[in-house]
Amino acid sequence: MAEFSLYRRRIGAVRPSHLMFTSGVGSLVDLPNFSVLVKGLDDWQYKGSEDPERNSALITEPRLLAAVQRLLGKTVLELRPAPWLPGTDSHPNGEAARTGVPVVPFPGWMRCTACNLLARVDSKAFEFENDKPNKPHEARFFHECGKGNRKRLVVGARFVLACKDGHLDDFPYLEFVHQGAPCSVAAKPNLLMEDRGGNIGANVRIVCQRCKAERNIREAMGRRGRERLPHCRGRHPHLGTFTGCQEQPHVLVVGASNQWFAQTLSALALPKAGGSELDAQVAKFWANLQHVNGPDMLPLVRSMPPLSFEFEKWGDEELWAAVERRRGEEAAGQDQEADEYPDLLTPEWEVFSSAHLPPPNDDFTAHRNPDEPVPPLLKSFYSDVLQVARLREVRAMTGFTRLDAPDQEDPKAVKRVPLARSRPTWVPASEVRGEGIFLRLPEDLLARWEAQAESSEALRLHKEAYGRFREYRHSARTGQPFNEETRYNHWPLPRYYALHTLSHLLIRTIALECGYNSASLAERIYAGTEDDPRTGILIYTAVPDAEGTLGGLVSLAEPDELVRLTRRALTEARSCSSDPLCAERLPREPEDFLHGAACHVCLFVSETTCERGNRFLDRRFVVPIDDPALALYRDLP
């Protein structure tokens, strides 16, 4: 855009993490005066250079990149942060202001707030202004409709269509108001949208000024309303494509929470368990080293920063041996079935459960209390405690879904919408640094508890509810009979209920007692499989700001603090202000919710904190609230 141009492309700003979890590719972003849709990766540009490193360094995490490649294909070569350049505020017409994430106004229909005119944004009925250098958020569409001398604000028409295959489209106002036929008076009818409000839900009347036809949007709502709508056109507006689709669309209000769900993978940047510092460095810089074909190329590689000083401590022979080991590990990982969620937790569990922790580095530093890892009062509660003073989590976006959230265990259960028209060569990613506490429970304790709980009615009801949950989700999408043989596929181990519930209790206690916002914390549960059971919980800070990165969380793993926090968490879990309703809750037929004695008062946390959407929780499996035999911990520390 020329330096003298009156209008500017920049219309707002969001955090990089916002583009990953709240409003990423294919989602609607609500701006103060209108809404926009984030375009696909084909349209993203890193202005000023083909090399994204000019804007921000590539994010390196080989383990996560390999996992993304297994889902999306070997064409994915990079994890990139959002494009950004400094200097936006000081030079509003400069290169920085023209570097960002591309968006397009959506919905494509807009309404004048003064005269109620309803028209497409490309119909030239409305105009656009964005002429305030330091106030891009005041960009707006306006209409000079003759009602006074003012430019009347134009807003997006608030209804769109979406289907379970992930398509999104404008509401067909012309076809809807004319019952699928053309206007009987004019080839280009004028429409009005009158919002009458009231307490009866959607009460919006669409009127054709030419033929006087009118219809209320209520007629398109609900199951019967969907039958009156045309079939989905298979539109992906973020890609600019129409793929064809026979699904029946649903009417959504702009801003509805189910119009977009991010599908992401995350991994902690950890060195290999038992690996050397050299192996950790090779993994970190594998993007630079993977193309080295022989030891004779190492002098050239060493001459390029940052490798020129990262490998000073090792000779060429040692470095080449480490490169060969890394290459062999990658070849061994190629056998995993494609389009299945990669196992990112096993390498992390191996590090956390190892008797010998890896040497500290910029991405990961952890230590045990050398004298006594577990406080004496907690010997029967935990078998190991790690203070993770430094960690880095990398998150990559692999796609998104509409109408229903993706299934973590069964990625094929919900259709994933692609991020680009062709196979992408990179995916959006973000990284956060923080700290955490790792708690390992005694295996014999959990084994005894599982033997007791597996025959209980409570666990039976939980498992049956999971089967109904899978059946309802499957039938609603496919309309086909459910395969009974797969009813309990991906059901977690019983110990997952206990570990997950204990994690939530500790997170809520930390948030209440130590000043951490629970939304700034995250969890990773290491429960494993029947063949490889595990007993770990990691609670860590995972927000892109400074909260919780200066030792505040790590200090809670000190013996006295950990005893006090554990005692308080288990004490408060025994009662809930929603009892007896909460304490007596179990998912009985025909209910399909996946929690028992759990609610917003005692166990639920924010969606960004819980790895399973507040499912698989039940206080009765941790503390005695009805049957003491079901409690993992019957006594307080």
Side-chain angles (χ1 to χ4, degrees), residues 12 58 60 63 83 118 174 178 216 369 468 537 547 591 598:
L58 293 177
T60 303
R63 194 161 59 88
L118 179 66
L174 278 174
H178 294 109
N216 198 296
N369 188 322
R468 291 191 295 272
I537 299 169
E547 183 178 3
E591 298 162 331

Side-chain angles (χ1 to χ4, degrees), residues 409-430:
E409 294 75 30
D410 188 3
K412 297 180 182 179
V414 187
K415 187 166 184 178
R416 179 175 63 234
V417 182
L419 301 176
R421 288 184 289 273
S422 57
R423 286 184 173 271
T425 58
W426 62 276
V427 295
S430 67

Side-chain angles (χ1 to χ4, degrees), residues 13 94 171 225 253 260 298 350 451 516 562 614 623-624 628 630 633-634:
F171 187 89
V253 178
W260 187 86
L298 291 178
E350 291 174 351
Y516 287 111
L562 187 60
N614 285 319
V623 295
L630 293 178
Y633 299 130
R634 302 180 188 180

Side-chain angles (χ1 to χ4, degrees), residues 114-284:
C115 67
N116 289 327
L117 175 67
L118 179 66
R120 291 194 59 85
V121 68
D122 55 2
S123 65
K124 299 184 179 180
F126 308 126
E127 298 182 65
F128 178 73
E129 64 179 2
N130 184 21
D131 55 357
K132 297 181 180 180
N134 296 315
K135 296 182 178 180
H137 58 278
E138 294 188 6
R140 65 170 186 160
F141 288 88
F142 65 90
H143 184 215
E144 296 184 275
C145 54
K147 293 194 174 184
N149 297 322
R150 297 173 54 192
K151 299 177 180 179
R152 300 292 181 168
L153 179 66
V154 171
V155 297
R158 59 191 180 98
F159 299 101
V160 295
L161 298 182
C163 82
K164 61 187 179 182
D165 279 352
H167 300 118
L168 185 70
D169 206 348
D170 288 302
F171 187 89
Y173 294 103
L174 278 174
E175 294 81 358
F176 177 73
V177 72
H178 294 109
Q179 305 279 350
C183 179
S184 60
V185 176
K188 294 183 178 180
N190 283 352
L191 300 185
L192 296 179
M193 173 182 275
E194 300 177 355
D195 192 343
R196 299 184 172 186
N199 297 322
I200 56 174
N203 189 18
V204 179
R205 189 177 66 149
I206 310 299
V207 180
C208 176
Q209 297 186 84
R210 305 293 192 189
C211 65
K212 306 305 178 184
E214 65 176 72
R215 205 172 180 188
N216 198 296
I217 208 77
R218 288 200 308 271
E219 296 182 37
M221 297 293 187
R223 181 176 299 177
R224 292 185 177 180
R226 288 199 297 272
E227 296 173 354
R228 301 187 181 103
L229 294 172
H231 284 296
C232 175
R233 299 192 299 171
R235 184 184 182 188
H236 286 314
H238 68 294
L239 304 179
T241 61
F242 290 85
T243 58
C245 179
Q246 293 301 311
E247 295 292 342
Q248 201 65 40
H250 296 243
V251 178
L252 297 181
V253 178
V254 173
S257 60
N258 64 339
Q259 62 92 11
W260 187 86
F261 297 94
Q263 196 167 30
T264 62
L265 292 175
S266 71
L268 301 181
L270 303 179
K272 183 182 177 183
S276 64
E277 183 182 358
L278 174 58
D279 290 329
Q281 287 293 89
V282 168
K284 182 176 180 179

